[in-house]
Amino acid sequence: MDEFQLIRSYFQPDARGEGVVLGVGDDAALLQPAPGQLLVTCVDTLVAGVHFPEDAPPDAVGHKALAVNLSDLAAMGARPRWFQLALTLPEIDEAWLAAFSSGLHRLAAEQDVALVGGDTTRGPLTITVQAMGEVAPAQALRRTGARAGDRLYVTGTLGDAAQGLALWQRGVRSAGGDDPAGFLIDRLHRPTPRMAAGRAAAGLARAAIDISDGLLADLGHLLEGGEGLGAVLQADSLPLSPAYRAHCEDSLPGRAALSGGDDYELLFAVAPENEAAFQTALQHVPAGCTCIGWITEDSAITLQGDGKAQVLTRQGYQHFN
Amino acid sequence: MDEFQLIRSYFQPDARGEGVVLGVGDDAALLQPAPGQLLVTCVDTLVAGVHFPEDAPPDAVGHKALAVNLSDLAAMGARPRWFQLALTLPEIDEAWLAAFSSGLHRLAAEQDVALVGGDTTRGPLTITVQAMGEVAPAQALRRTGARAGDRLYVTGTLGDAAQGLALWQRGVRSAGGDDPAGFLIDRLHRPTPRMAAGRAAAGLARAAIDISDGLLADLGHLLEGGEGLGAVLQADSLPLSPAYRAHCEDSLPGRAALSGGDDYELLFAVAPENEAAFQTALQHVPAGCTCIGWITEDSAITLQGDGKAQVLTRQGYQHFN
């Protein structure tokens, strides 16, 4: 099998996506943007052994490579449309490729986003996905713009992926179903991009970010988008899954919920005057959306709970540290 | 230095490109496509030790990572607009980063293409660039559509990069200037994307491809775009640089000109009735453009010269072979 056969076997969907004038197979793809929309584009790389365990299930790797990019589009309020895949492989392993491409294509079909091109090269296992979406200019969500007094909302639950990683590293290999460990490991390997929440919040939230680096680190980025801003987080309001609560070894909310990465939930800053409309728009979003605190003029991030207030550092996952 | 400082130091151009509503620094970039144009998008990865020698000058690596993508846009007849950079680094080496980003930004400025986003990760040195351009729907150049009787034209000269690689592998370290070896090594490390030629040919050529995998391999791809097509190449017409002629150890045109990769010239199929208009449009293109043969109904690729005809195989560089 050479690289052209590989592309034909695994990465050439026969159904042409909407707006795809020319897809996989030429020097470049030709796409038809929707009139009046902004193009939203992002790129994220997963390196084996850094962003996913070397022994992660390949279908989960395919899922996650696309999911982390869709999460970035969701954080902008965008509708996802197309993506490209740059895949660097140490060798051709057909079983691995079949599972990887199956995980990738399943999520792509679920989210109605079309693979339109890519590149296949030989080298250490590295997966770069570049995703494109569209949003109306007035609806785009940015990291900047949050103000003191804005309410903070987060989708889904916090810290599950970090707990899933801890379990995986201890050798636990459950997946899915009713098993709490399986739930947490699925949250690590198969994050759900919060597209519906991002779209519902578009035009209603004042600022948004996805919390791929952990709540505190990404809240820090959101606060940097204003001048000398801080935040109060209410410990009892942080959304925690039953599985997380069952496995948490710290006192709740626990370090994983505050600083663990890979959750891919969305964090929103919402102006008080928009809060009712925001709540209405988000109420039927599958992931749910919870108010966890508010933005302050004091530059600290403070955790309130049990009648105490604790100042937190803005820590999170960083490469090269 | 952490990854955010790294991005601020090397990859945050202060000048905002045209059509860039929101650039580097958010979850995704927001771009304003031109009305009525198709979006042209491609992605290419360079892996250290595979696509460039580990000891290649870092400014050349930065140049080449962008150039190979711009070449794909040129092959579609597109005007380049924006690009994203996904950079995987084993460590932070500031001298390497300064030179790499300088080579990248210099070419970006020359071609008026704006860096709008990216990702920085830790891992084996791998560089993925994703580039976007625009083209009017009727002007887009594809690989498909060539027909028997079409004339074959190629920009620039052939085989220089393959000869440059052979010199580099023998330890020659010249660069640029009047030295033929330096010219050939520059052609390997600092390919010039043929943007002007691609734009001039848009709407005039019947099909186009960039010859990154070598003339024969990419001519093969162009011929696959039709039914049972072949080609005649005229040995005396193949454009060869004086430096190539001086270093060629085979009888001319030599294996490097026919099968060597990394040339990033453009190959066009031109209908006879458009040939005069094509020649006029391309006559002032800096790289030049030479007729090297024509397309036939016989599926072989034949090299004619010295009164002989030799059937060639469609070989070229392939990963995983």
Side-chain angles (χ1 to χ4, degrees):
Chain A
M1 172 170 281
D2 66 25
E3 62 183 300
F4 303 107
Q5 291 165 329
L6 184 161
I7 293 163
R8 274 192 295 271
S9 298
Y10 298 111
F11 300 113
Q12 190 131 25
D14 42 15
R16 289 167 55 131
E18 195 194 340
V20 182
V21 177
L22 181 67
V24 175
D26 210 305
D27 293 287
L30 297 174
L31 306 173
Q32 181 67 68
Q37 300 281 295
L38 294 180
L39 179 72
V40 188
T41 175
C42 60
V43 65
D44 261 319
T45 297
L46 304 188
V47 180
V50 178
H51 299 86
F52 59 90
E54 306 264 7
D55 60 348
D59 72 302
V61 177
H63 173 100
K64 190 164 181 172
L66 178 57
V68 301
N69 279 279
L70 294 181
S71 178
D72 281 326
L73 296 185
M76 309 300 289
R79 168 189 166 215
R81 299 208 63 186
W82 312 294
F83 72 104
Q84 295 182 106
L85 169 68
L87 183 58
T88 301
L89 299 168
E91 63 188 344
I92 299 217
D93 174 340
E94 294 204 41
W96 191 94
L97 275 164
F100 172 86
S101 66
S102 150
L104 182 83
H105 289 310
R106 191 181 315 116
L107 179 61
E110 276 169 27
Q111 298 291 349
D112 196 20
V113 56
L115 176 64
V116 298
D119 189 25
T120 312
T121 50
R122 189 167 48 79
L125 182 59
T126 311
I127 304 132
T128 298
V129 167
Q130 180 264 342
M132 288 161 278
E134 292 182 325
V135 68
Q139 300 230 315
L141 298 171
R142 293 165 169 81
R143 287 187 181 188
T144 53
R147 297 187 204 166
D150 286 357
R151 296 278 160 169
L152 290 167
Y153 280 80
V154 74
T155 59
T157 53
L158 299 169
D160 297 327
Q163 273 194 352
L165 179 61
L167 290 168
W168 187 268
Q169 287 171 338
R170 272 186 253 143
V172 180
R173 291 292 178 272
S174 299
D178 293 334
D179 172 26
F183 169 84
L184 295 169
I185 289 171
D186 262 10
R187 289 275 287 155
L188 169 69
H189 285 328
R190 294 179 177 83
T192 304
R194 301 309 191 189
M195 308 316 294
R199 299 269 290 154
L204 291 172
R206 190 124 70 181
I209 191 169
D210 83 334
I211 53 168
S212 50
D213 293 338
L215 175 63
L216 289 181
D218 286 312
L219 173 57
H221 295 311
L222 201 75
L223 299 174
E224 283 163 20
E227 287 278 311
L229 296 177
V232 168
L233 299 177
Q234 293 187 293
D236 291 346
S237 301
L238 296 182
L240 305 175
S241 67
Y244 179 91
R245 291 173 185 273
H247 279 84
C248 188
E249 290 169 3
D250 311 339
S251 60
L252 294 176
R255 214 168 74 86
L258 293 167
S259 305
D262 261 1
D263 273 336
Y264 301 99
E265 298 297 344
L266 299 182
L267 176 66
F268 301 108
V270 182
E273 62 270 26
N274 279 342
E275 198 172 3
F278 177 88
Q279 286 176 343
T280 303
L282 277 279
Q283 69 186 336
H284 297 303
V285 157
C289 193
T290 310
C291 183
I292 60 170
W294 55 89
I295 295 180
T296 65
E297 285 180 336
D298 163 359
S299 68
I301 299 180
T302 306
L303 183 69
Q304 287 184 349
D306 280 340
K308 290 177 291 191
Q310 179 188 357
V311 174
L312 304 173
T313 57
R314 300 178 182 200
Q315 64 201 348
Y317 184 75
Q318 282 209 9
H319 295 286
F320 310 112
N321 264 7
Chain B
M1 170 170 282
D2 67 24
E3 61 185 299
F4 304 107
Q5 291 164 328
L6 184 161
I7 293 163
R8 275 192 294 272
S9 299
Y10 298 112
F11 300 112
Q12 191 130 27
D14 42 16
R16 287 167 56 133
E18 195 196 340
V20 183
V21 176
L22 181 66
V24 175
D26 210 304
D27 292 288
L30 297 173
L31 305 174
Q32 180 67 69
Q37 300 281 295
L38 295 180
L39 180 71
V40 188
T41 175
C42 59
V43 64
D44 261 318
T45 297
L46 303 188
V47 179
V50 178
H51 300 86
F52 59 91
E54 307 264 6
D55 59 349
D59 71 301
V61 177
H63 173 100
K64 189 164 180 172
L66 179 56
V68 302
N69 280 280
L70 294 181
S71 177
D72 281 326
L73 296 185
M76 308 300 289
R79 168 189 166 215
R81 300 209 62 186
W82 313 294
F83 72 104
Q84 296 182 107
L85 170 69
L87 183 59
T88 300
L89 298 169
E91 64 188 343
I92 299 216
D93 174 339
E94 295 205 39
W96 190 93
L97 276 164
F100 172 86
S101 66
S102 150
L104 183 81
H105 289 309
R106 190 181 315 118
L107 179 61
E110 278 170 24
Q111 298 292 348
D112 196 20
V113 57
L115 177 64
V116 298
D119 189 25
T120 312
T121 50
R122 189 166 49 80
L125 181 59
T126 311
I127 304 133
T128 298
V129 168
Q130 181 264 340
M132 289 161 277
E134 292 182 327
V135 67
Q139 300 229 313
L141 297 171
R142 293 165 168 82
R143 288 187 179 187
T144 51
R147 296 187 204 164
D150 286 356
R151 296 278 159 169
L152 291 167
Y153 280 80
V154 73
T155 59
T157 54
L158 298 169
D160 297 327
Q163 273 195 352
L165 179 61
L167 290 169
W168 186 269
Q169 287 172 338
R170 272 184 252 145
V172 180
R173 289 295 178 271
S174 299
D178 293 334
D179 172 27
F183 169 85
L184 295 170
I185 289 170
D186 262 11
R187 289 274 290 157
L188 169 69
H189 286 326
R190 294 179 178 82
T192 304
R194 302 306 191 189
M195 308 315 293
R199 300 271 288 156
L204 291 173
R206 190 124 69 183
I209 191 168
D210 84 332
I211 53 169
S212 50
D213 293 337
L215 174 64
L216 289 181
D218 286 312
L219 172 58
H221 296 310
L222 202 74
L223 298 175
E224 282 163 20
E227 287 278 311
L229 297 178
V232 168
L233 299 177
Q234 294 187 291
D236 291 346
S237 302
L238 296 182
L240 305 175
S241 67
Y244 179 91
R245 291 173 185 273
H247 279 82
C248 189
E249 291 170 1
D250 310 338
S251 60
L252 293 177
R255 214 168 76 85
L258 292 168
S259 303
D262 262 1
D263 272 337
Y264 302 101
E265 299 297 344
L266 300 181
L267 176 66
F268 301 107
V270 182
E273 63 270 28
N274 279 341
E275 198 172 4
F278 178 88
Q279 286 177 341
T280 303
L282 277 280
Q283 68 186 337
H284 298 304
V285 156
C289 194
T290 309
C291 183
I292 60 170
W294 56 89
I295 294 181
T296 64
E297 285 181 335
D298 163 0
S299 66
I301 300 179
T302 307
L303 184 68
Q304 290 184 347
D306 280 341
K308 291 177 290 191
Q310 179 188 358
V311 175
L312 303 172
T313 57
R314 299 178 184 200
Q315 65 202 345
Y317 185 75
Q318 281 209 10
H319 295 287
F320 309 114
N321 266 8

